Amino acid sequence: GDSVTQMEGPVTLSEEAFLTINCTYTATGYPSLFWYVQYPGEGLQLLLKATKADDKGSNKGFEATYRKETTSFHLEKGSVQVSDSAVYFCALRMDSNYQLIWGAGTKLIIKP
Amino acid sequence: NAGVMQNPRHLVRRRGQEARLRCSPMKGHSHVYWYRQLPEEGLKFMVYLQKENIIDESGMPKERFSAEFPKEGPSILRIQQVVRGDSAAYFCASSPTGPAIVYEQYFGPGTRLTVT
């Protein structure tokens, strides 16, 4: 079945470091891809999304590019801040379905 | 505009008791989705409801679990005779009226259920 795999955490970085969180997927068709973020004590928020191959989603300095050839949607940010500390979830949704299929989440810790 | 509300945020139950989890969707939203996150795993879809209707419960365990979304009041996820394996985070999401495949799902903060 369809699935999402993302790198295990926690990922610990210093402030201003470059961030990559890997996400790969398996799907029978052409899904839409999402990154959600959960800050401590809050709900999941949509961070960015891409709906077709080669699309780049971006928000708050984060970017991810939909790569059909490698079935990947890696999350990147050029310079992280302490306030980026959170759990990041990669997810997919097939166009014909409302169910989101999720990765296990990656906890990101940014140290000053 | 208040977001999706879930309560309680933390719930502790002894084995065999009942757990009731509540979800109030965003104002104007009439679609509710429940997801469960077991430790070290991603979220898994459980059930999709509209007001007074269960649209898709394909992710719900066959026994002990039920969900409702009445005409008035919050959506309720009920777990009867809880067991240790029910310990998880339960997330609720809502979306606006309209085709569910079109609109974004807005999530609540989750309820963490611990069964002792």
Side-chain angles (χ1 to χ4, degrees):
Chain A
D2 301 334
S3 66
V4 174
T5 302
Q6 59 182 107
M7 65 192 290
E8 284 188 30
V11 173
T12 303
L13 295 171
S14 297
E15 209 166 15
E16 299 184 3
F18 185 87
L19 168 71
T20 300
I21 299 178
N22 290 338
C23 171
T24 57
Y25 68 89
T26 302
T28 51
Y30 301 102
S32 294
L33 300 172
F34 304 83
W35 276 101
Y36 281 81
V37 58
Q38 186 179 29
Y39 299 104
E42 298 184 17
L44 292 155
Q45 301 173 25
L46 179 63
L47 180 60
L48 53 84
K49 66 179 181 182
T51 58
K52 60 184 187 296
D54 299 325
D55 267 3
K56 179 185 283 189
S58 61
N59 186 24
K60 299 182 181 180
F62 291 89
E63 292 183 341
T65 301
Y66 189 141
R67 301 279 187 208
K68 192 175 95 172
E69 63 276 11
T70 53
T71 62
S72 65
F73 192 54
H74 304 322
L75 183 68
E76 296 181 335
K77 186 175 185 183
S79 176
V80 292
Q81 306 300 313
V82 171
S83 57
D84 294 326
S85 298
V87 181
Y88 292 81
F89 293 88
C90 185
L92 70 81
R93 194 185 73 190
M94 303 307 294
D95 285 346
S96 58
N97 200 330
Y98 40 76
Q99 293 185 24
L100 286 159
I101 296 170
W102 299 80
T106 302
K107 185 172 184 178
L108 175 65
I109 301 169
I110 306 300
K111 299 192 169 180
Chain B
N1 189 9
V4 177
M5 310 287 284
Q6 289 188 250
N7 67 79
R9 295 290 305 276
H10 300 275
L11 181 61
V12 180
R13 285 286 177 267
R14 291 200 180 101
R15 278 178 295 171
Q17 291 184 320
E18 178 179 284
R20 284 179 144 232
L21 287 62
R22 294 175 185 77
C23 169
S24 297
M26 286 181 71
K27 188 176 181 181
H29 288 193
S30 59
H31 299 233
V32 166
Y33 314 80
W34 285 93
Y35 292 82
R36 175 168 67 171
Q37 184 184 27
L38 294 170
E40 309 302 322
E41 296 186 17
L43 282 73
K44 296 284 197 299
F45 169 81
M46 299 182 74
V47 62
Y48 163 35
L49 310 105
Q50 295 178 19
K51 287 278 187 183
E52 300 184 281
N53 281 307
I54 297 174
I55 306 302
D56 179 358
E57 55 182 350
S58 58
M60 288 275 273
K62 298 290 183 225
E63 297 176 351
R64 300 187 298 107
F65 284 72
S66 63
E68 62 177 9
F69 188 17
K71 187 176 180 181
E72 301 291 338
S75 175
I76 307 285
L77 179 68
R78 184 184 293 111
I79 311 172
Q80 296 178 304
Q81 299 176 322
V82 296
V83 300
R84 289 231 172 99
D86 296 334
S87 295
Y90 292 82
F91 290 92
C92 167
S94 71
S95 66
T97 301
I101 61 174
V102 174
Y103 293 101
E104 178 188 337
Q105 295 175 27
Y106 294 80
F107 283 82
T111 294
R112 297 200 178 276
L113 172 65
T114 302
V115 179
T116 61

